[in-house]
Amino acid sequence: MAVSRNSVLRPVEGALTQAGNIVELFVEVVRNTFRRPFQFREFIEQAWFIASVTILPTALVAVPFGAVVSLQTGSLIKQLGAESFTGAASVLAVIQQGAPMVTALLVAGAAGSAVTADLGARTIREEIDAMEVLGINPVQRLVVPRVLAMVLVAVLLNGLVSVVGIAGGYFFNVVLQGGNPGAYLASFSAFAQLPDLWVGEVKAAVFGLIAGVIAAYKGLHPKGGPKGVGEAVNQSVVITFLLLFFANLILTMVYLQIVPAKGS
């Protein structure tokens, strides 16, 4: 019985310890963000690298995503006899939910894995230990620029996904389903409001922050040499995806409670 209890409690203790370490790293990132000197060149280089590996996949994913949302909602609303609300349903679904999630998943999958691999390689080569011996804070020097770069790129990509997704949804609804262009745009302007855009941007920033902190933590703590770096990359992506869905649920619930729907 004791062995069975230990086998059950050990993974739980490990998960709680890891969660505490991630929160501690997040606090260090926030503290070192305002500490000088700020690594501006590293921040620009990382932002450019993250944008270069995510902008094309994000644009390519945004088109079919907007089309699927538009086709599905258009078909359902047509069955209900409310074709005039197709634009509002499609556009709000893309702005509030779809664009931030697509952006976050691609940033976490492409940029987050690259950050984890980079920091993991530096860790197993003992570069991180050498920096600490020289009195250089690796969080301030390496982690903060990468996390802030992921936040910035996530916010910018969210705008790109929103525009491309709305354009794709409009095309597929009007051209393929024979929708009314005027009704599509009128319903959108009647029900959409500016906070719908802001909540999408806030979600993208929070998702980028979560992805950056987890990627940095896994990169700084690989186990087992080069093989451990590969495992850390996989773990960072999986953990980030799980946390993103929970964070999206919480942010959506808070938004719906604080901001009333237009016309209500």
Side-chain angles (χ1 to χ4, degrees):
M1 182 64 67
V3 175
S4 177
R5 184 183 301 174
N6 290 334
S7 63
V8 173
L9 292 179
R10 190 177 296 111
V12 176
E13 293 177 354
L16 293 177
T17 302
Q18 186 170 222
N21 292 335
I22 292 175
V23 172
E24 182 181 3
L25 178 61
F26 168 74
V27 173
E28 281 204 31
V29 169
V30 174
R31 185 187 305 132
N32 285 278
T33 299
F34 304 98
R35 184 173 296 174
R36 296 294 179 265
F38 179 75
Q39 303 298 324
F40 188 75
R41 179 175 180 179
E42 184 77 11
F43 167 73
I44 296 297
E45 291 178 353
Q46 292 300 319
W48 176 257
F49 168 74
I50 294 171
S52 65
V53 299
T54 56
I55 186 170
L56 182 59
T58 302
L60 294 178
V61 171
V63 174
F65 178 80
V68 168
V69 171
S70 179
L71 293 175
Q72 188 65 43
T73 55
S75 176
L76 178 60
I77 291 178
K78 189 175 183 179
Q79 295 177 15
L80 299 175
E83 292 89 344
S84 59
F85 299 105
T86 302
S90 302
V91 173
L92 291 179
V94 171
I95 292 179
Q96 290 187 13
Q97 303 296 332
M101 290 304 298
V102 169
T103 300
L105 294 180
L106 287 173
V107 168
S113 58
V115 169
T116 303
D118 178 37
L119 294 178
R122 293 172 181 265
T123 302
I124 64 173
R125 292 198 303 262
E126 299 182 350
E127 292 184 18
I128 304 299
D129 295 336
M131 293 177 64
E132 293 177 348
V133 170
L134 294 174
I136 302 174
N137 189 348
V139 174
Q140 180 186 9
R141 180 64 179 82
L142 299 176
V143 176
V144 170
R146 285 163 172 78
V147 172
L148 295 182
M150 293 184 72
V151 172
L152 174 63
V153 174
V155 171
L156 297 178
L157 287 180
N158 180 71
L160 173 65
V161 175
S162 298
V163 172
V164 176
I166 292 173
Y170 175 85
F171 173 81
F172 280 91
N173 178 263
V174 173
V175 175
L176 297 184
Q177 292 183 313
N180 189 327
Y184 190 97
L185 297 176
S187 64
F188 166 59
S189 60
F191 289 94
Q193 51 186 340
L194 191 58
D196 295 328
L197 176 62
W198 293 131
V199 70
E201 295 292 348
V202 170
K203 283 184 178 182
V206 173
F207 296 163
L209 179 63
I210 293 174
V213 171
I214 294 178
Y217 172 78
K218 284 297 181 179
L220 294 175
H221 300 87
K223 298 179 180 179
K227 181 181 178 181
V229 175
E231 294 176 352
V233 171
N234 295 332
Q235 293 174 3
S236 68
V237 174
V238 173
I239 295 174
T240 302
F241 283 5
L242 293 175
L243 290 180
L244 290 181
F245 286 109
F246 281 109
N248 182 57
L249 174 63
I250 294 173
L251 291 174
T252 301
M253 293 174 61
V254 172
Y255 172 75
L256 294 178
Q257 292 296 323
I258 295 178
V259 181
K262 190 175 181 180
S264 62

